[in-house]
Amino acid sequence: MTSKLEVNVEEDISRKIQVCPYRVSSQSSVVDDAEEFAALEDPDRRLESVETGDEKSPTISEWYRLQSNTFGATSFRRVENLLDAVEQTPSESVEFDFNRCGYTNLHVQIILDGLLQARPECLTRLDLSRNRLLNVSLARCLGNVLMELQSIVHLSLSFNTLDDDCIEVLGDALSNSGVRLLEAAHCQITDRGGSLLFSALLYSDCVQMLDVSWNHLDTASGQAIGRFLSTQKTLKELLLAGNHLYQELQCTVPLLLGMIGNETLELLDLSWNGLRGEELGRALSKAVQQSKLKCLKLECNMLSEVELSFVVKLAKKSETLVELWLGSNVFEDTVLVELVRTFMRHPTLLVLSLGPFQFIPQTVAKLCRICKRKYPAKQIIYQGVLRAKPARPVDVQEMLLERSRFLAQKPKKAKLKRDLGHLMLQFGDAETSLLTREEFVLALKRFRLKLDRALLEALMDAFEAPKKLVDTGAMALKYLTKHPTERPIVKSAKRKGQK
């Protein structure tokens, strides 16, 4: 007999219950089952390896991605490929064209920092136009790139915003760089900014072409350009179209007089500047004769007979002029004849542009044909030839009647259409041909002809008679002469009871 409190426990040695499946058996030793401990890294050794250069330095594209991630900017695969190409073949000529890429100031600054890291030997062109740049920080970075990489000969910044501070920074950098071609058109450069730019480039020995067209250059810039041209010995092309260089004595004359003695300038573009004045003509004639200018562009200004007479004189006396562009100015027939004759006799002039929209008289056209036959290499640009007969004058009365005829036939429903000729027949058969304005309007209402108020007033004014009457007889005669109209068939009214 067993007690209720007695418990029989049969131990099965062959079966072992493991409480935790991840706990090892207590019979195994710790040393046997433990993994081998990794040796701790000594930080001093890591510093020594960095100092000795054992670790591989990141590539320029990796550095670019790291910098972009650091500043929260997007990295571009195109930029990475360019930087890799620069790093792999540093001696090959390369051009960085970021035109219309939409990069921000931060993106471009990281790219320029990458160029300073890679230091390519033959980076020849850097195009940053049409990106809505730049600020002072980016201007400083760009200036460092231009001074460090003297191989850059072409810099394009067109269609960006260059304020006075940016111009001041870039001007100092450009004067110490190897840039030969600078494009800064449509950059909103102010008059002070233009003065700073040309003053900084005063003694540059590299610049050959400057494009600062379509900015806001004014009096101060014109004077600075004059000083610039008087001392510059390398500039060949200067594009100043679309600025405000129209102040004759304060701006234009000093600019032109600075050309005197300049033997390197070959192209000068002063189009779209509103140039005019007799003093301008004198200064222009004097400057071109005492320089080596080959191409002069004065299109879309306000030159008239007085100024163009000086242009004819300078064309006669210049020994180097090859192209003369004078389109969209005010030409008199006598000036045109003299200009074409001078062009025919000139030994070096090859192109004379009167404007792609200019029509010339018959006498000038005859000279142009003779010039083309005798000198095939010479080219005269114009639109066409004026006819011997003058243009037909505009007949306002006929035009208004045609418009009224069209509006009378405009309704889609046949019941609403009206033949204006029937009304004119009524006016012709009337005893009196003069109506007051109120009577004329009432006659149109009875005829059920709807005309807008402006056309109605113009029609009454066109056929107005003395005492503010309307001459309906003349109106009917003019209309029926061009549009003969048969009289309408009058249908007899049917009586009641008749079938």
Side-chain angles (χ1 to χ4, degrees), residues 233-465:
K233 303 300 180 184
T234 60
L235 187 69
K236 293 183 178 180
E237 298 181 9
L238 180 59
L239 308 180
L240 300 171
N243 285 287
H244 307 156
L245 304 174
Y246 51 82
Q247 296 291 340
E248 187 179 8
L249 297 177
Q250 296 85 0
C251 177
T252 314
V253 173
L255 187 153
L256 294 174
L257 294 180
M259 291 173 51
I260 297 177
N262 192 317
E263 298 183 355
T264 59
L265 186 64
E266 297 179 355
L267 186 149
L268 178 62
D269 188 357
L270 290 172
S271 304
W272 292 94
N273 274 286
L275 303 181
R276 61 179 176 180
E278 187 175 353
E279 294 298 328
L280 164 71
R282 290 195 179 94
L284 186 63
S285 177
K286 186 177 180 180
V288 174
Q289 292 176 28
Q290 301 184 31
S291 65
K292 302 295 183 180
L293 198 65
K294 294 183 179 180
C295 179
L296 177 62
K297 294 187 177 182
L298 298 172
E299 294 183 304
C300 301
N301 283 296
M302 303 177 68
L303 306 181
S304 59
E305 184 178 3
V306 177
E307 296 86 0
L308 291 174
S309 62
F310 287 100
V311 174
V312 173
K313 292 179 182 178
L314 71 88
K316 290 180 179 179
K317 297 182 179 180
S318 176
E319 299 177 356
T320 59
L321 203 59
V322 178
E323 298 181 10
L324 185 58
W325 300 75
L326 301 171
S328 299
N329 286 292
V330 183
F331 294 105
E332 298 291 339
D333 293 350
T334 55
V335 175
L336 277 177
V337 171
E338 188 66 23
L339 190 60
V340 174
R341 286 178 178 173
T342 303
F343 174 73
M344 292 173 59
R345 299 167 184 170
H346 201 280
T348 61
L349 266 176
L350 297 178
V351 178
L352 174 62
S353 175
L354 303 177
F357 307 106
Q358 180 70 32
F359 284 85
I360 59 177
Q362 292 284 345
T363 54
V364 181
K366 184 177 180 180
L367 290 175
C368 292
R369 289 193 295 269
I370 295 173
C371 176
K372 187 175 182 180
R373 185 171 63 252
K374 287 186 176 181
Y375 310 101
K378 292 180 177 289
Q379 181 185 7
I380 302 178
I381 301 173
Y382 58 91
Q383 173 67 31
V385 182
L386 293 174
R387 296 180 179 179
K389 296 182 180 180
R392 183 173 62 89
V394 178
D395 193 342
V396 179
Q397 295 179 348
E398 181 180 348
M399 180 179 64
L400 295 174
L401 288 174
E402 290 294 331
R403 179 63 180 171
S404 302
R405 180 171 178 264
F406 168 76
L407 293 178
Q409 295 290 330
K410 186 178 180 181
K412 295 182 179 180
K413 294 183 179 180
K415 293 182 178 181
L416 300 179
K417 293 180 181 294
R418 294 290 180 270
D419 190 350
L420 188 61
H422 295 166
L423 179 62
M424 296 300 151
L425 289 174
Q426 294 179 13
F427 286 156
D429 296 340
E431 296 180 357
T432 176
S433 61
L434 298 178
L435 299 178
T436 62
R437 289 178 174 257
E438 292 78 8
E439 292 174 346
F440 181 75
V441 173
L442 184 60
L444 293 182
K445 287 183 178 180
R446 289 176 179 174
F447 190 69
R448 297 181 181 178
L449 177 60
K450 294 182 179 180
L451 300 178
D452 55 273
R453 191 65 187 177
L455 178 60
L456 187 59
E457 292 289 341
L459 189 62
M460 291 188 292
D461 292 340
F463 292 94
E464 187 178 9

Side-chain angles (χ1 to χ4, degrees), residues 172-187:
D172 296 336
L174 288 169
S175 61
N176 298 314
S177 68
V179 175
R180 299 178 184 177
L181 284 77
L182 174 62
E183 297 178 356
H186 297 271
C187 287

